[in-house]
Structures are given as C-alpha cells and as structure tokens.
Amino acid sequence: MYQIGWFSTGRGKGSRDLLTVAHESTRQGKLEATISFVFCSRELGDAPGSDQFIELVKSYEIPLVCFSSRKFKRQMKVDSPDEWRLAYDRVVMERLEGFHHDLCILAGYMLVVGSEMCRQYKMVNLHPAAPGGPKGTWQEVIWQLIEEKARSTGAMMHLVTPELDQGPPVAYCTLSLRGEPFDRHWKEIKGLSVEQIKSRQGEENALFKLIRQHGVVREHPLVISTINAFSQGHVRIEGETVVDRVGRPIAGYDLTEEIDRLVE
C-alpha cells in the first residue's frame, strides 16, 4: 500500500478538516494509500488549535510525532532563521526514522522546510492558487486576485523547496472567475481599490467570500486526487522534476475535469 507522511502545525480548523478528509477517504477506500504517521510541529500546551489537532490524530489512532518548533527556537538562541531551521529539521528526521513514506503531504505546516529535508523527503504542499498565480496565504492570494482583476484561479499541490511557494507544480485544478455568480460581484467593486474594499468590508466583501468558497471546496478533493495520482503512477517526482507515467517532465498534472466532477 502506498504510504503517506502527513506534516502539519495543526493551527486551525482547516488543518483538522484536511486530515479528516484524508482519514475518511482511506477508511472508505477512496484513497489508495494509508497515512503511516502524522508529524506536528507543536506539542500539547503550545496552543489551543494545535491541541485539538493532536487529540484528533490520537482519536484516529495514527502514529503521531510532536516536536515544538517554538520551544526549539527559544532553546537555540540564534538569530539566523536558516541555522535553527536546519537544526530543527535534522531532529525531526531523526524522530521520524523507522517510519516508511512514499510521499509526504504538507497540510497547514507553517514552517519553511530546509534544503536537507527537501533532498531526503519527497514533499508536496497545498497552495490556494493555480500555477503561476499569487503567492502567500489564502487571504493574500484572494486580495491579489481582486487587485489584478484575475479571470481565473485554482489550487495546486507543488513540490516543496527551501524557497517558500516556489516549487514546481505537481498537480492542480483551475476555475473561472467570470460568468455567474462572479460577474455581479465584480460590478459591485468596479472603480474601488483593494484598500478601499478592505477598509469598508474587509473579508466580508461578497467577491472575496465567493472566491474563497469556490477555491476551498476544491482543495480537499485536490489533495486526495493528487495522492491517488501518485499511488496509481500517473505522476511522480524524480529529483526536483515532476514527470508523468512514462518519465516525461510535465508542468503539473491537470486534475481540473476530475475535481469539477467531484465538486458538482
């Protein structure tokens, strides 16, 4: 059975929901893989959100490894982020020795992974934008889409590299931001700057909420479909290159049609 390593900081509900979807998919046979371990970069007592995540993992009886990055960083007493991250990753890899994993999923993992771990582990990360789209958090992505009057967006799983959100796309889906129900909301903000929208409505703006709604419903099935694409051999990672079934380099595996069917 194809085996997955799951990395998360477990900060909020989104992290818990992603794990729940993956766990239920394995239980129901929708995911052709098993989660061999969950790694959490927080420990019990670090924060209420991560405490809930840790208890959720335990309830699923998935092997769990916790190691607080906050505590480790304080103990290191160094100014260079590269220095403590490298040291932290080395301890993480030591603690994960003995766990088999064909692929590692970063789902709400709030740390930048260093070069050593990127070389040793095949890791992919969920990003709430299509290839070539905005970088940053999902909030930052949506504001950039509105500012650029973007005609489309999407979500992708990309290869993890030491450069944040810069790894090549592994799998992705896209969606149009034009037509109904989007057009009337674009008209509502015509002539307004992003700063004006933020100051007047913020994240309660109808277009902002609509983009988020259409994006987030695709993220969960994208994670599952990406894992299945790996387990079925449709896509794989060779070094820092994403290739298809016959070994040809690709700019990501397009799962748009499959995701559209799943969210209908």
Side-chain angles (χ1 to χ4, degrees), residues 166-177:
Q166 297 295 320
V170 171
Y172 65 93
C173 64
T174 60
L175 69 129
S176 174
L177 295 179

Side-chain angles (χ1 to χ4, degrees), residues 29-119:
K30 297 177 182 178
L31 183 60
E32 298 181 23
T34 185
I35 302 174
S36 60
F37 70 87
V38 171
F39 174 77
C40 182
S41 57
R42 288 182 179 172
E43 298 170 359
L44 279 174
D46 277 357
S50 50
D51 285 356
Q52 292 180 55
F53 179 82
I54 290 167
E55 293 301 331
L56 181 68
V57 178
K58 290 179 178 179
S59 74
Y60 291 154
E61 299 183 342
I62 303 172
L64 171 66
V65 177
C66 294
F67 181 38
S68 175
S69 60
R70 289 178 174 178
K71 295 176 184 176
F72 182 82
K73 185 177 181 181
R74 287 197 297 265
Q75 293 167 359
M76 282 285 292
K77 297 179 181 178
V78 295
D79 296 325
S80 168
D82 292 338
E83 185 177 347
W84 83 261
R85 283 171 183 157
L86 183 63
Y88 179 81
D89 284 353
R90 286 172 176 167
V91 178
V92 171
M93 288 188 286
E94 287 177 4
R95 296 189 177 197
L96 292 177
E97 285 184 3
F99 289 104
H100 179 72
H101 46 88
D102 298 297
L103 182 71
C104 292
I105 304 294
L106 272 60
Y109 191 65
M110 305 309 294
L111 301 177
V112 175
V113 180
S115 56
E116 286 189 13
M117 185 177 281
C118 287
R119 283 195 299 270

Side-chain angles (χ1 to χ4, degrees), residues 3-251:
Q3 296 193 351
I4 297 298
W6 195 272
F7 285 69
S8 182
T9 301
R11 187 170 63 171
K13 183 177 183 298
S15 298
R16 298 194 299 273
D17 288 348
L18 274 169
L19 180 63
T20 295
V21 168
H23 174 72
E24 288 301 308
S25 295
T26 59
R27 192 178 63 83
Q28 297 169 11
K30 297 177 182 178
L31 183 60
E32 298 181 23
T34 185
I35 302 174
S36 60
F37 70 87
V38 171
F39 174 77
C40 182
S41 57
R42 288 182 179 172
E43 298 170 359
L44 279 174
D46 277 357
S50 50
D51 285 356
Q52 292 180 55
F53 179 82
I54 290 167
E55 293 301 331
L56 181 68
V57 178
K58 290 179 178 179
S59 74
Y60 291 154
E61 299 183 342
I62 303 172
L64 171 66
V65 177
C66 294
F67 181 38
S68 175
S69 60
R70 289 178 174 178
K71 295 176 184 176
F72 182 82
K73 185 177 181 181
R74 287 197 297 265
Q75 293 167 359
M76 282 285 292
K77 297 179 181 178
V78 295
D79 296 325
S80 168
D82 292 338
E83 185 177 347
W84 83 261
R85 283 171 183 157
L86 183 63
Y88 179 81
D89 284 353
R90 286 172 176 167
V91 178
V92 171
M93 288 188 286
E94 287 177 4
R95 296 189 177 197
L96 292 177
E97 285 184 3
F99 289 104
H100 179 72
H101 46 88
D102 298 297
L103 182 71
C104 292
I105 304 294
L106 272 60
Y109 191 65
M110 305 309 294
L111 301 177
V112 175
V113 180
S115 56
E116 286 189 13
M117 185 177 281
C118 287
R119 283 195 299 270
Q120 293 193 40
Y121 288 18
K122 294 179 180 178
M123 312 179 85
V124 297
N125 181 56
L126 174 64
H127 181 67
K135 309 299 182 186
T137 65
W138 66 264
Q139 294 96 331
E140 292 168 338
V141 166
I142 294 175
W143 287 124
Q144 289 179 66
L145 292 169
I146 292 174
E147 186 171 34
E148 297 166 3
K149 299 178 176 59
R151 303 193 67 82
S152 65
T153 186
M156 70 171 168
M157 301 291 287
H158 66 86
L159 187 64
V160 175
T161 65
E163 296 76 34
L164 185 63
D165 294 340
Q166 297 295 320
V170 171
Y172 65 93
C173 64
T174 60
L175 69 129
S176 174
L177 295 179
R178 291 296 186 271
E180 291 304 327
F182 291 97
D183 285 352
R184 63 179 177 270
H185 297 304
W186 282 111
K187 290 176 182 176
E188 290 170 358
I189 64 167
K190 188 174 182 180
L192 297 176
S193 69
V194 164
E195 291 308 315
Q196 288 174 316
I197 300 169
K198 286 182 178 180
S199 65
R200 296 179 186 182
Q201 298 174 298
E203 294 179 11
E204 291 302 308
N205 173 264
L207 180 60
F208 183 99
K209 292 169 68 174
L210 189 64
I211 294 173
R212 177 57 177 165
Q213 173 191 337
H214 281 254
V216 76
V217 298
R218 287 166 168 77
E219 292 177 5
H220 292 177
L222 177 63
V223 171
I224 302 306
S225 292
T226 298
I227 295 172
N228 279 334
F230 272 96
S231 66
Q232 295 165 5
H234 296 304
V235 62
R236 64 181 189 273
I237 298 167
E238 293 185 355
E240 296 184 357
T241 303
V242 180
V243 300
D244 65 11
R245 180 181 290 277
V246 297
R248 292 175 300 198
I250 57 174

